[in-house]
């Protein structure tokens, strides 16, 4: 049986209006996440990765304007449906300890959506499974190490029973070994039939752990590719940016990409990567480049074949 | 935990003693520079007291001795609990302070509770929706209040509610010409309401503004975002995470406001002729009643110190980061 598609994002754009100035933070973003898969969303800082997670949850600041369509199991995500889905069907695995209430013991923070007795027992069992000692239940966030924090946050996600997990940068600040450990947990979630959206700037780890990789650049999606396409010299990849990102990794030759990603204020309608692209032609600067399917993935580049 | 609490209390005690010593030194120094002559203040306008007698009074009080020795004498009698006799009331200073403080306690207590509760409420209302009409209105009101002198607020209230509307008496703490045992609770309340309102209006603004600021910060915090991502509604999230985090600055402010409270009561009591400690301070100052003035200075130092210590103690219990910190001491 084909795995069900849980999340569909079609042509999502997010703009912020502040003091009459409109800034585009995300534009024309389309992707899907299926049951049983890990979809990694990679990109540099400021590419709009975390914003994507907040947009899916409907938790953007008040001055954000969202266009496009997002559905969960075919149901449109909006102000009416999201309050029922947040924390039950869709949940966030945040990136750091600051997402925990500094004044509440972590055990309680994991189980508070449930009734106390049942929740406490289940949390204790989960903590044991994740190798956290029972005393951790009574600890406060400031007393946790980075690895412990991740495991506490993972426990909360498991306990929620949510099917779609948005994991926002779960690995920074962890040793390579601990990070791999964390990613193994994500893989376990996928095996249990959940869909995991892994937001990360670590392409290396993303390729190692995810099924598909979506590459974000300057607020837009340049490519989605099966993780196995990130191999050798990156010839199987569709977009020049993905290729240069891949080849910039130390083990792939350490070739730097010159130039900088445009910031939200200076974004253009045409290909945002054109100024840095080795394959650019006059055509790239002329008009917006649409996202199109190509070889089992998607790409936003007129030259890709 | 027990050891830590003991260390905390011992530290506080040492701090209190050193603070009191410093307050003694400073106020003694200031008063010795002041133009008030204690003998002059004592004999008053009486012309029957000869120069000879004045010198004898000065010698009796030890005023002929050098300042350092006078300070030592004064300090040693304070240490024994003897603050001297009030020239104005011809009674021991401690008795006067005790009696006056009781009257002020009513006033300050009511004002303190009102300003805390209303300030917190207004702060939450304003901070909940930053930039909303509520927020703008409340912020404007608070800024207006904090830039208005307390005595002026008192005079306006007095004018409106006591003079024009006649709802409340114009002054004092009990009706004139009524025996002590015939004074009812209603009498006392109707006399205390206007000064208490004046005092609470003065104290409310900073609490409301700080609460607003903190609530906005809390609403922007990562942990509130996470709470919402887990399906908590606005009020549940506020109750579960907001209030406790909000309580930290609120408690500190509320107890640290003892200083403003006392300062405000000096003005409010003067406007309403309310016979409390604040008014006693004004009278002692204006009439050169040095023992009473020094007594009130020391008492108010202690009062403010106790307020701050309560704030520290409560923070210690509310905030696990302080309670469980590896190295103790606040």
């Amino acid at each position: 049986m084909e795995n069900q598609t849980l999340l569909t994002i079609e042509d999502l754009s997010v703009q912020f209006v502040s003091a009459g100035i409109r800034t585009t933070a995300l534009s024309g973003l389309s992707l899907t996440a299926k049951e049983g898969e890990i979809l990694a969303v990679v990109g540099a800082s400021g590419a709009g990765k975390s914003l994507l997670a907040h947009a899916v949850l409907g938790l953007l600041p008040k001055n954000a304007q969202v266009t496009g369509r997002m559905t969960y199991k075919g149901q449109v995500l909006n102000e009416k449906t999201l309050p029922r889905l947040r924390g039950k069907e869709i949940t966030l695995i945040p990136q750091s300890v600051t997402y925990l209430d500094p004044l509440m013991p972590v055990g309680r923070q994991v189980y508070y959506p449930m009734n106390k007795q049942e929740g406490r027992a289940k949390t204790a069992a989960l903590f044991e499974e994740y190798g956290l000692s029972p005393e951790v239940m009574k600890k406060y966030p400031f007393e946790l190490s980075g690895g412990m924090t991740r495991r506490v946050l993972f426990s909360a996600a498991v306990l929620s029973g949510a099917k779609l997990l948005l994991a926002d940068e779960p690995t920074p600040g962890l040793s390579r070994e601990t990070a791999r450990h964390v990613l193994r947990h994500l893989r376990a979630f996928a095996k249990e039939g959940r869909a995991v959206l892994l937001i990360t700037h670590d392409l290396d780890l993303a390729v190692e752990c995810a099924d598909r990789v979506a590459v974000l650049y300057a607020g837009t999606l340049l490519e989605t590719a099966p993780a196995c396409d990130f191999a050798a010299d990156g010839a199987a990849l569709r977009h020049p940016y993905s290729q240069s990102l891949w080849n910039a990794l130390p083990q792939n030759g350490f070739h730097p990409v010159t130039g900088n990603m445009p910031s939200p204020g200076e974004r253009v309608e045409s290909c945002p990567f054109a100024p840095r692209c080795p394959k650019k032609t006059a055509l790239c600067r002329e008009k917006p480049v649409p996202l199109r399917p190509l070889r089992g993935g998607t790409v936003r580049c007129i030259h890709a074949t | 935990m027990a050891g830590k609490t003991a260390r905390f209390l011992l530290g506080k005690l040492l701090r209190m003693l050193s603070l009191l010593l410093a307050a003694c030194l400073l106020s003694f120094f200031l008063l010795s520079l002041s133009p008030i002559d204690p003998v002059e203040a004592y004999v008053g306008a009486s012309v029957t007291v000869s120069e000879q007698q004045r010198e004898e009074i000065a010698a009796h009080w030890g005023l002929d001795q050098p300042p350092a020795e006078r300070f030592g004498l004064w300090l040693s009698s304070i240490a024994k609990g003897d603050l001297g006799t009030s020239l104005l009331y011809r009674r021991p200073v401690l008795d006067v302070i005790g009696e006056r403080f009781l009257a002020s306690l009513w006033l300050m207590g009511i004002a303190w509770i009102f300003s805390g509760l209303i300030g917190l409420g207004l702060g939450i209302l304003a901070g909940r929706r930053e930039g909303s009409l509520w927020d703008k209105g409340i912020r404007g009101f608070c800024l207006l209040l904090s830039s208005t002198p307390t005595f002026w607020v008192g005079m306006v209230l007095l004018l409106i509610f006591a003079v024009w509307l006649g709802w409340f008496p114009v002054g004092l703490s009990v009706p004139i010409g009524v025996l002590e045992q015939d004074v009812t609770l209603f009498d006392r309340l109707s006399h205390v309401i206007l000064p208490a309102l004046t005092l609470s209006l003065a104290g409310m603004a900073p609490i409301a503004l700080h609460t607003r600021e903190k609530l906005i910060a809390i609403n922007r915090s990562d942990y509130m975002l996470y709470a919402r991502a887990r399906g908590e509604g606005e009020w549940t999230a506020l109750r579960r995470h907001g209030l406790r985090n909000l309580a930290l600055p609120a408690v500190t402010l509320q107890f640290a406001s003892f200083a403003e409270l006392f300062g405000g009561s000096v003005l409010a009591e003067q406007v309403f002729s309310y016979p409390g400690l604040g008014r006693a301070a004004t009278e002692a100052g204006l009439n050169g009643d040095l023992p009473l003035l020094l007594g009130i200075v020391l008492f108010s130092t202690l009062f403010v110190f106790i307020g701050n210590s309560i704030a520290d103690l409560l923070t210690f219990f509310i905030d696990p980061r302080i309670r469980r910190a590896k190295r103790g001491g606040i």
Side-chain angles (χ1 to χ4, degrees):
Chain A
M1 204 182 87
E2 178 76 355
N3 280 339
Q4 193 193 354
T5 300
L6 289 184
L7 178 71
T8 312
I9 300 175
E10 288 165 41
D11 205 23
L12 173 73
S13 292
V14 175
Q15 296 187 316
F16 289 102
V17 185
S18 177
I21 299 166
R22 185 178 287 269
T23 319
T24 304
L26 284 180
S27 65
L29 209 141
S30 300
L31 26 99
T32 57
K34 287 204 250 336
E35 279 180 344
E37 80 163 351
I38 299 178
L39 170 68
V41 177
V42 298
S45 306
K49 304 179 306 274
S50 293
L51 214 57
L52 171 65
H54 296 174
V56 171
L57 286 161
L59 293 176
L60 292 170
K62 293 264 181 309
N63 63 338
Q65 290 184 352
V66 182
T67 55
R69 201 176 123 92
M70 292 183 282
T71 60
Y72 174 78
K73 288 185 179 172
Q75 193 177 9
V76 175
L77 295 178
N78 57 30
E79 278 163 32
K80 281 206 188 75
T81 54
L82 274 166
R84 275 185 288 115
L85 298 172
R86 279 198 288 257
K88 293 174 192 74
E89 291 287 327
I90 309 173
T91 201
L92 178 73
I93 302 178
Q95 51 182 311
S96 70
V97 72
T98 57
Y99 286 79
L100 291 171
D101 182 342
L103 302 183
M104 196 190 270
V106 292
R108 222 177 113 213
Q109 297 203 56
V110 171
Y111 67 67
Y112 69 62
M114 308 182 74
N115 90 53
K116 200 170 174 176
Q117 267 177 343
E118 191 193 353
R120 194 184 288 174
K122 284 193 171 166
T123 306
L126 273 170
F127 274 20
E128 202 184 328
E129 205 182 313
Y130 280 119
L132 292 168
S133 68
E135 296 92 73
V136 177
M137 294 271 277
K138 291 202 187 72
K139 280 196 191 302
Y140 288 89
F142 78 99
E143 296 170 303
L144 302 182
S145 70
M148 282 158 92
T149 305
R150 275 3 175 269
R151 284 178 277 172
V152 167
L153 294 171
F154 276 41
S155 306
V158 174
L159 201 68
S160 74
K163 294 272 283 174
L164 174 62
L165 304 177
L166 310 172
D168 191 1
E169 300 275 13
T171 54
L174 300 183
S175 68
R176 213 64 182 162
E177 198 187 334
T178 318
R180 290 220 164 87
H181 202 69
V182 163
L183 295 179
R184 270 202 291 280
H185 288 307
L186 290 181
R187 178 47 71 191
F189 292 158
K191 279 206 179 109
E192 289 160 18
R194 287 183 252 250
V196 179
L197 204 73
L198 167 65
I199 293 166
T200 179
H201 62 257
D202 193 333
L203 179 63
D204 203 10
L205 273 178
V207 167
E208 194 178 310
C209 134
D211 298 293
R212 288 188 301 137
V213 178
V215 180
L216 239 57
Y217 182 82
T220 194
L221 184 70
L222 293 186
E223 170 166 7
T224 42
C228 57
D229 285 357
F230 287 87
D233 61 350
L237 292 169
R238 290 148 196 80
H239 200 283
Y241 176 61
S242 322
Q243 283 167 353
S244 42
L245 207 58
W246 177 246
N247 289 321
L249 290 177
Q251 64 271 37
N252 301 334
F254 228 158
H255 305 295
V257 196
T258 52
N260 289 310
M261 186 173 77
S263 59
E266 51 191 45
R267 282 176 192 172
V268 287
E269 288 288 299
S270 56
C271 177
F273 187 60
R276 305 168 70 185
C277 185
K279 294 182 183 166
K280 67 170 176 282
T281 58
L283 217 55
C284 298
R285 303 270 206 165
E286 257 172 30
K287 54 181 191 231
V289 185
L291 192 70
R292 61 188 165 103
L294 181 71
R295 290 187 279 118
T298 57
V299 69
R300 189 190 298 278
C301 176
I302 50 172
H303 303 298
T305 48
Chain B
M1 183 81 197
K4 203 155 182 189
T5 311
R7 212 162 50 226
F8 174 82
L9 290 176
L10 190 72
K12 276 282 164 213
L13 193 72
L14 283 176
R15 261 163 228 222
M16 184 184 84
L17 290 176
S18 58
L19 175 74
L20 282 177
L21 187 69
C24 283
L25 206 66
L26 190 68
S27 43
F28 186 88
F29 175 68
L30 284 175
L31 280 182
S32 68
L33 289 182
S34 81
I36 298 173
D37 177 5
V39 181
E40 195 65 43
Y42 179 62
V43 297
S46 165
V47 282
T48 55
V49 185
S50 69
E51 200 58 36
Q52 172 86 37
Q53 284 169 310
R54 282 170 193 251
E55 268 164 31
E56 273 167 22
I57 294 172
H60 178 67
W61 283 345
L63 288 171
D64 51 351
Q65 287 169 33
E69 271 168 50
R70 265 154 48 202
F71 180 68
L73 237 100
W74 181 58
L75 205 62
S76 69
S77 51
I78 287 176
K80 282 181 226 135
D82 177 18
L83 287 172
T85 308
S86 160
L87 302 178
L88 216 55
Y89 297 90
R90 313 279 157 174
R91 284 167 56 203
V93 165
L94 266 182
D95 289 6
V96 177
I97 290 179
E99 187 190 291
R100 289 307 190 96
F101 180 63
L102 218 60
S104 286
L105 204 60
W106 273 81
L107 176 63
M108 292 197 279
I110 292 173
W112 185 73
I113 290 168
F114 274 163
S115 63
L117 290 181
I118 299 174
L120 193 71
L122 285 182
I124 291 178
L125 219 55
R128 211 166 67 87
R129 294 264 180 274
E130 192 188 356
S132 68
L133 222 59
W134 274 107
D135 182 26
K136 284 182 185 143
I138 291 171
R139 209 159 25 135
F141 177 62
C142 288
L143 290 176
L144 190 74
L145 273 185
S146 22
S147 35
T148 314
T150 309
F151 66 87
W152 190 82
V153 174
M155 278 153 66
V156 170
L157 290 180
L158 197 65
L159 194 67
I160 298 173
F161 293 103
V163 179
W164 291 349
L165 294 173
W167 290 356
F168 300 104
V170 284
L172 305 179
S173 66
V174 287
I176 297 175
V178 177
L179 287 177
E180 172 88 40
Q181 61 265 32
D182 295 336
V183 174
T184 61
L185 184 69
F186 177 78
D187 285 335
R188 284 188 191 280
L189 278 179
S190 71
H191 280 81
V192 85
I193 278 180
L194 279 188
L197 191 64
T198 308
L199 206 49
S200 47
L201 280 176
M204 204 180 68
I207 293 183
L209 288 174
H210 275 98
T211 305
R212 169 188 177 274
E213 212 55 40
K214 181 70 184 176
L215 185 60
I216 289 171
I218 288 173
N219 274 330
R220 285 184 187 157
S221 72
D222 290 342
Y223 58 85
M224 284 300 257
L225 181 87
Y226 183 48
R228 282 188 286 247
R230 297 176 76 190
E232 283 184 58
E234 190 199 336
W235 285 113
T236 319
L238 183 66
R239 190 166 42 81
R240 205 174 265 156
H241 312 287
L243 287 182
R244 200 176 239 267
N245 282 286
L246 206 58
L248 274 181
V251 159
T252 309
L253 275 173
Q254 182 68 354
F255 284 92
S257 75
F258 275 28
E260 281 91 36
L261 204 60
F262 190 82
S265 80
V266 173
L267 298 169
E269 288 179 8
Q270 191 62 28
V271 173
F272 292 93
S273 316
Y274 191 89
L277 197 58
R279 200 164 143 74
T282 322
E283 284 169 348
L286 290 177
N287 297 306
D289 188 347
L290 294 187
L292 184 59
L293 194 59
L294 283 170
I296 292 175
V297 167
L298 288 187
F299 182 80
S300 56
T301 307
L302 201 62
F303 180 69
V304 172
F305 178 82
I306 287 172
N308 287 339
S309 299
I310 295 174
D312 281 353
L313 201 67
L314 288 176
T315 310
F316 182 78
F317 284 110
I318 297 173
D319 195 338
R321 286 163 295 192
I322 291 173
R323 191 170 65 236
R324 293 201 185 176
K326 291 277 184 294
R327 283 164 50 78
I330 290 172

